Amino acid sequence: MQENKYEAMKSITSRDNQWIKKACSLKQKKGRQQERMVFVEGMRVVRDAAESGVRRAVCFLSPKGRDHEKFQEIYDMGRALDWTFFSVTDSVYDKLKDTKAPQGIAAMLPYVTVSLDELGGLAPRQAVVYLQAVQDPGNLGTIIRTAAAANAAAILLSEGSVDVYNDKTIRSAMGAIFKLPIVQDVDEEQLMAFCRRNGRALFGTAPQGTISYEKAAYSQPVVLAFGNEGNGLSEGLLKQCRDVLTIPMRSNTESLNLSMSVGIVLYKAWEANGFKE
């Protein structure tokens, strides 16, 4: 391979380089919050970030990553988005990598979460998902991926929920974290104010719900609330819901996984609106 093909790419040969230290610090929540950046690894998630227009990322490439057939596309998009590219040695990349089968590409990306005030223009027929105290990062990543596929407008996370930028969350989301707005640390008061301000009905979900999810009035603008994996929605929030939905199950069976429940209800809401985007 001709090294001058990427003439703007800088080189890092030391594992103690400041950029490498900064990237490694993002593997901890404290470091992410301090820098307002997240570390990601893998060709697909880096390409998704570029395709979504994420600006001013910092990308690291091992020799394997530079030779990957899809890297040229990422490089061209990244240059247009003011990305910085570093060519690193295999030894340096070994310090960065988190995956068992690395593809030789990793990046530091700026946070892409938004505030509630920025969600004023959501399409009324698209459901908003509210998650209260979700704890499993894999669950959250799967929910984000499902919500993006099922035409959800946004995801709101309560205080005490797992960090949306947890590495397991990002891997489970498979790039969907860039495809829909996500708001963190939304308390019950803020949620209710959001519903009133945007004319959205709040539907909770619980095994003891009063109406089957199939019969809910999804034609109106809605927020669909789902609770903690073990305890469900709080009693206080359930009392504020217009309806509490339930998913029928056979007797003597365990409750559904949270991400599965979200998927079932979200797809029903989308179906009720004719699968229109």
Side-chain angles (χ1 to χ4, degrees):
M1 176 182 175
Q2 297 178 349
E3 286 297 324
N4 62 3
K5 182 177 181 181
Y6 304 115
E7 69 281 354
M9 193 181 301
K10 304 173 183 178
S11 179
I12 295 177
T13 58
S14 171
R15 291 163 62 98
D16 293 324
N17 178 275
Q18 62 175 343
W19 286 105
I20 302 305
K21 290 181 177 180
K22 184 174 181 178
C24 290
S25 75
L26 302 183
K27 297 179 183 182
Q28 303 298 321
K29 184 176 181 179
K30 181 180 179 180
R32 293 192 294 271
Q33 291 179 332
Q34 180 176 330
E35 300 292 341
R36 301 294 295 173
M37 298 188 79
V38 59
F39 177 82
V40 300
E41 185 181 5
M43 200 64 63
R44 179 169 181 172
V45 67
V46 175
R47 184 176 64 180
D48 282 340
E51 289 178 342
S52 299
V54 175
R55 299 188 61 81
R56 294 181 292 278
V58 178
C59 193
F60 304 95
L61 283 303
S62 74
K64 180 179 180 180
R66 295 194 302 275
D67 287 336
H68 196 285
E69 60 181 359
K70 295 181 180 179
F71 175 60
Q72 180 66 55
E73 179 185 8
I74 293 174
Y75 183 75
D76 292 341
M77 289 189 291
R79 290 290 303 280
L81 292 166
D82 199 24
W83 285 25
T84 299
F85 289 89
F86 287 111
S87 171
V88 304
T89 64
D90 286 328
S91 174
V92 171
Y93 196 83
D94 282 343
K95 185 173 181 178
L96 289 173
K97 70 180 183 181
D98 272 335
T99 56
K100 294 181 179 179
Q103 295 178 303
I105 183 169
M108 299 192 303
L109 307 176
Y111 273 12
V112 295
T113 48
V114 299
S115 69
L116 276 179
D117 293 337
E118 297 176 81
L119 297 185
L122 300 179
R125 65 172 174 264
Q126 291 181 279
V128 172
V129 176
Y130 180 72
L131 302 174
Q132 187 179 55
V134 59
Q135 297 298 300
D136 187 285
N139 256 346
L140 177 56
T142 302
I143 289 169
I144 294 171
R145 184 179 177 186
T146 301
N151 198 41
I155 293 178
L156 314 180
L157 292 167
S158 78
E159 298 172 305
S161 291
V162 65
D163 182 13
V164 70
Y165 291 116
N166 180 287
D167 60 332
K168 292 181 180 179
T169 299
I170 292 174
R171 285 199 295 269
S172 298
M174 296 291 285
I177 193 172
F178 308 114
K179 299 183 186 301
L180 78 171
I182 301 173
V183 185
Q184 298 191 89
D185 298 325
V186 179
D187 62 30
E188 292 184 21
E189 183 177 343
Q190 291 171 321
L191 172 64
M192 298 312 301
F194 171 80
C195 289
R196 291 191 297 270
R197 186 166 61 247
N198 294 278
R200 288 184 176 266
L202 179 62
F203 292 169
T205 54
Q208 69 276 20
T210 56
I211 181 174
S212 170
Y213 80 100
E214 296 179 290
K215 299 178 181 179
Y218 298 114
S219 59
Q220 63 186 307
V222 298
V223 173
L224 304 173
F226 300 86
N228 173 273
E229 292 91 339
N231 301 316
L233 289 173
S234 67
E235 287 297 324
L237 187 57
L238 283 171
K239 291 178 181 178
Q240 298 189 72
C241 294
R242 183 173 302 182
D243 283 315
V244 179
L245 314 183
T246 187
I247 300 174
M249 295 176 55
R250 288 182 56 185
S251 58
N252 300 318
T253 55
E254 292 293 328
S255 60
L256 291 171
N257 173 273
L258 175 60
S259 59
M260 179 70 73
S261 299
V262 173
I264 289 172
V265 178
L266 262 183
Y267 270 98
K268 188 63 182 180
W270 193 21
E271 179 188 31
N273 285 283
F275 291 116
K276 296 179 180 179
E277 297 186 9

